[in-house]
């Protein structure tokens, strides 16, 4: 995005979490300040790039699972900048609603994703689930199963917001609905405070959680096999390479409402 004027209301000097993530994924939708902050994170956690890619691969496999289960309504919350392997590409024919609170993400989404009748981009904040559900009611039939995706977004919300949001979504969902989550953990306690500091200067602070705390988001849901695991270990397309026991900086899982 260098060389282009920043869109109105966007300060290119404040690192933006959507654009930092885009940089981890080798995207081009980022400014110098995003890259500088992301490079600081990569110094502390070089595995971040690999983890971002593994997160996107998990997304594709989880969405294919939803489709196999007959789910044809998917709401991708905190969807991020369009990249390779977007949700609707893994769910052809399903209604997909992308939701993000970042106006730049929504503008890019509208330009690149909303090419089909079944794809919508909604500017919305997951911290306001009441408003979000009202807005979604025009696009989603809540009388039928729906899948909410919350990948790499709940760790931008403190407990007082994160748990009530997920409860509100569950209460709006009928049996057969799904919840898909990936979430960062405190993988290196010695290094984490520095990373938290970098995100505090960006557009959203991090609230890292333990595996047990992440598991609590699935209260009321049944976790499908293999449960809450490193994203790369959730139903991998190929068996892991011998000796590849690399750990991850997050957990991922899929729950179904019975
Ligand atoms: C790290 S990116 C993850 C993108 C995508 N979900 C993925 O996992 O590949 C986090 C996204 O969440 C969005 N986000 C953060 N807080 C949000 C909120 N309160 N409401 C809506 N979107 C939010 C950011 O704008 C960003 O696009």
């Amino acid at each position: 995005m260098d060389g282009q004027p920043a869109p109105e209301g966007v300060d290119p000097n404040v690192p933006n979490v959507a654009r930092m993530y885009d940089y981890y994924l080798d995207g081009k939708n980022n400014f110098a300040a995003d890259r500088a902050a992301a490079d600081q994170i990569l110094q502390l956690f070089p595995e971040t790039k690999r983890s971002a890619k593994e997160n996107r691969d998990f997304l594709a496999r989880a969405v294919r699972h939803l489709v196999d289960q007959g789910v044809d309504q998917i709401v991708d919350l905190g969807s991020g900048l369009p990249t390779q392997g977007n949700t609707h590409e893994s769910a052809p024919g399903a209604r997909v609603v992308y939701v993000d609170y970042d106006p730049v993400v929504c503008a890019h989404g509208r330009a690149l994703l909303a090419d089909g009748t079944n794809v919508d981009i909604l500017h919305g904040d997951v911290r306001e689930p009441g408003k979000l559900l009202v807005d979604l009611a025009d696009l989603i039939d809540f009388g039928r199963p729906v899948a909410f995706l919350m990948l790499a977004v709940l760790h931008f919300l403190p407990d007082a917001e994160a748990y009530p949001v997920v409860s509100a979504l569950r209460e709006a969902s009928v049996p057969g609905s799904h919840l898909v989550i990936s979430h960062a953990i405190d993988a290196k306690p010695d290094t984490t405070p520095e990373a938290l500091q970098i995100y505090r200067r960006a557009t959203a602070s991090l609230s890292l959680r333990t595996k047990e705390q992440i598991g609590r988001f699935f209260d009321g849901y049944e976790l499908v096999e293999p449960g809450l695991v490193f994203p790369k270990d959730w139903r991998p397309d190929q068996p892991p390479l011998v000796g590849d026991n690399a750990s991850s900086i997050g957990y991922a899982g899929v729950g179904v409402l019975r």
Side-chain angles (χ1 to χ4, degrees):
M1 282 165 88
D2 295 316
Q4 301 170 26
E8 206 181 312
V10 172
D11 184 347
N13 299 312
V14 176
N16 172 291
V17 297
R19 297 193 302 260
M20 288 168 69
Y21 183 70
D22 175 72
Y23 180 66
Y24 300 144
L25 289 168
D26 296 324
K28 298 279 173 265
N29 293 316
N30 44 71
F31 292 113
D34 308 314
R35 294 191 290 274
D39 278 334
Q40 284 179 297
I41 292 291
L42 290 170
Q43 289 273 326
L44 299 169
F45 291 91
E47 57 275 65
T48 303
K49 258 179 187 283
R50 191 197 72 221
S51 296
K53 171 82 173 61
E54 288 173 358
N55 184 49
R56 293 302 301 181
D57 292 346
F58 161 70
L59 167 84
R61 296 194 305 277
V63 170
R64 290 204 311 265
H65 169 76
L66 299 173
V67 172
D68 287 348
Q69 299 305 302
V71 175
D72 64 357
Q73 308 188 94
I74 301 175
V75 182
D76 187 347
L77 296 163
S79 48
L81 285 155
T83 178
Q84 284 185 357
N86 299 296
T87 298
H88 71 289
E89 294 167 59
S90 298
R95 167 162 284 287
V96 174
V97 184
Y98 292 101
V99 180
D100 208 288
Y101 75 163
D102 186 317
V104 176
V105 167
C106 293
H108 277 266
R110 286 194 185 100
L112 293 176
L113 302 179
D115 52 353
T117 47
N118 263 350
V119 179
D120 283 284
I121 319 287
L122 191 64
H123 183 226
D125 191 326
V126 297
R127 292 169 299 185
E128 298 171 357
K131 178 176 186 318
L132 190 62
L133 287 166
V134 169
D135 292 346
L136 282 170
D138 289 337
L139 305 167
I140 293 290
D141 176 0
F142 282 104
R144 295 197 304 109
V146 58
F148 287 109
L149 313 188
M150 301 196 86
L151 277 82
V153 62
L154 283 168
H155 52 227
F156 292 116
L157 273 57
D159 285 0
E161 292 172 340
Y163 290 102
V165 164
V166 175
S167 297
L169 300 179
R170 188 189 59 234
E171 280 160 21
S173 302
V174 296
S177 295
H178 288 68
L179 175 69
V180 182
I181 288 178
S182 67
H183 194 299
I185 54 169
D186 182 357
K188 287 187 208 161
D190 290 349
T191 323
T192 297
E194 235 181 298
L196 295 182
Q197 206 48 44
I198 294 164
Y199 272 94
R200 239 172 252 138
R201 292 193 293 269
T203 48
S205 298
L206 280 177
S207 294
L208 301 175
R209 297 189 170 86
T210 63
K211 183 180 182 186
E212 188 269 330
Q213 290 166 333
I214 299 167
R216 278 180 39 213
F217 288 119
F218 290 101
D219 282 356
Y221 289 86
E222 180 184 310
L223 266 177
V224 307
E225 285 297 320
L228 195 57
V229 294
F230 293 151
K232 70 179 170 62
D233 295 332
W234 196 91
R235 303 188 183 203
D237 287 331
Q238 268 128 35
L241 295 173
V242 176
D244 174 15
N245 52 6
S247 66
S248 173
I249 57 173
Y251 280 95
V254 176
V256 59
L257 207 56
R258 296 291 186 201

